[in-house]
Amino acid sequence: MQTVWAMLICLAGGQLASATLCKTYGTIPGIPGSPGQPGRNGRDGVKGQKGEQGPPGQVEHEGDRGERGDPGLPGYPGKVGPRGPPGPKGLPGVRGLPGPQGDSGDYKTTVKSAFSAARTISSYPRREHPIRFDRIIINEKGHYENRYGRFTCRVPGIYYFTYHVTSRGNLCLNVKKGRGGSRGEKVVTFCDYVHSSYQVTTGGVVLKLAADESVWLEPTEKNSLVGIEGSDSIFSGFLIFPEA
């Protein structure tokens, strides 16, 4: 009976009585108290690892699709790629219009060079020396020097040279080319043979001359060339066309 009373006293007296009386009769547990207030939220935990990408979402109804968003900003330009192979050759363009008509030419301004000279000296010329044709017949632009028997090129180009001479015996002539007062080089040789009578010997050659090159005739040891009245000996030359 005493035990029952003690339990009633514990219930009626609250926590203070329970702390006192129930301690006396600690062998019997008391009734659980009412739940306390919820505690505060705890701190956020450490961020976990990124999970695997889930499957794309599905739209059950077309009407559930939202409006299309605005386009994003353009990205940075990429790196320049390697150069491609050259393309095929294109078709020729349209032919252009003709140009304006040029000025009229003037034959008087065409470059010229020509000469012809005769020998009036009756003595035989010296062996291996230029033959002087002293009497000028024509000397266009003055390129032939009758004092030395040489033609000197002032207009580079292609020239033709020829001679018609009278001899009284065997005659061999060299056509020579050189610069200044040099011995020059032999270009061609012409020979005619006759005894104790007059004959006319002729020869010619086409030469390409540079500026300041000279051309002349020169006898060998067979030098029976004469220059007398009624039996002339002449040396001539002229420009065929100038160098382009």
Side-chain angles (χ1 to χ4, degrees):
M1 191 69 180
Q2 293 179 353
T3 303
V4 174
W5 281 107
M7 294 176 61
L8 293 174
I9 293 171
C10 289
L11 294 173
Q15 292 182 354
L16 180 61
S18 175
T20 304
L21 294 178
C22 292
K23 185 177 181 182
T24 305
Y25 301 95
T27 58
I28 301 174
I31 298 173
S34 59
Q37 296 293 328
R40 291 180 297 177
N41 295 334
R43 296 179 181 179
D44 295 336
V46 180
K47 185 176 181 180
Q49 296 181 352
K50 184 177 180 180
E52 296 180 358
Q53 183 176 356
Q58 298 180 353
V59 180
E60 294 183 0
H61 303 286
E62 188 66 26
D64 296 337
R65 186 186 297 272
E67 295 182 358
R68 184 175 182 178
D70 296 331
L73 296 175
Y76 295 104
K79 296 181 179 179
V80 178
R83 186 174 181 178
K89 186 176 181 180
L91 297 174
V94 180
R95 185 174 183 178
L97 298 175
Q101 183 176 357
D103 297 332
S104 301
D106 184 359
Y107 75 94
K108 295 181 180 179
T109 63
T110 304
V111 290
K112 301 175 182 178
S113 182
F115 78 96
S116 188
R119 180 176 174 85
T120 62
I121 303 170
S122 59
S123 60
Y124 292 158
R126 295 175 60 187
R127 174 182 175 183
E128 297 180 354
H129 282 74
I131 301 173
R132 286 185 58 202
F133 294 85
D134 55 298
R135 182 171 65 86
I136 299 295
I137 299 173
I138 184 173
N139 192 12
E140 186 72 29
K141 304 300 182 181
H143 298 164
Y144 174 73
E145 301 171 278
N146 65 336
R147 182 178 177 183
Y148 304 105
R150 294 172 181 256
F151 169 83
T152 301
C153 173
R154 304 301 181 195
V155 181
I158 306 299
Y159 287 79
Y160 178 69
F161 296 93
T162 184
Y163 68 86
H164 300 268
V165 298
T166 302
S167 67
R168 189 165 42 186
N170 296 335
L171 178 66
C172 287
L173 296 179
N174 294 325
V175 179
K176 302 192 75 172
K177 180 176 75 170
R179 290 181 180 272
S182 67
R183 301 286 297 174
E185 60 175 320
K186 181 174 66 176
V187 181
V188 290
T189 301
F190 299 94
C191 289
D192 274 311
Y193 300 97
V194 67
H195 294 285
S196 302
S197 64
Y198 288 99
Q199 69 170 350
V200 176
T201 301
T202 184
V205 65
V206 175
L207 296 177
K208 181 177 181 180
L209 298 181
D212 298 326
E213 283 190 310
S214 297
V215 176
W216 66 93
L217 294 180
E218 191 174 284
T220 66
E221 71 280 0
K222 301 176 178 61
N223 60 343
S224 58
L225 184 146
V226 296
I228 57 177
E229 183 70 25
S231 184
D232 292 319
S233 295
I234 62 172
F235 178 38
S236 304
F238 57 87
L239 175 68
I240 300 176
F241 54 86
E243 189 176 61

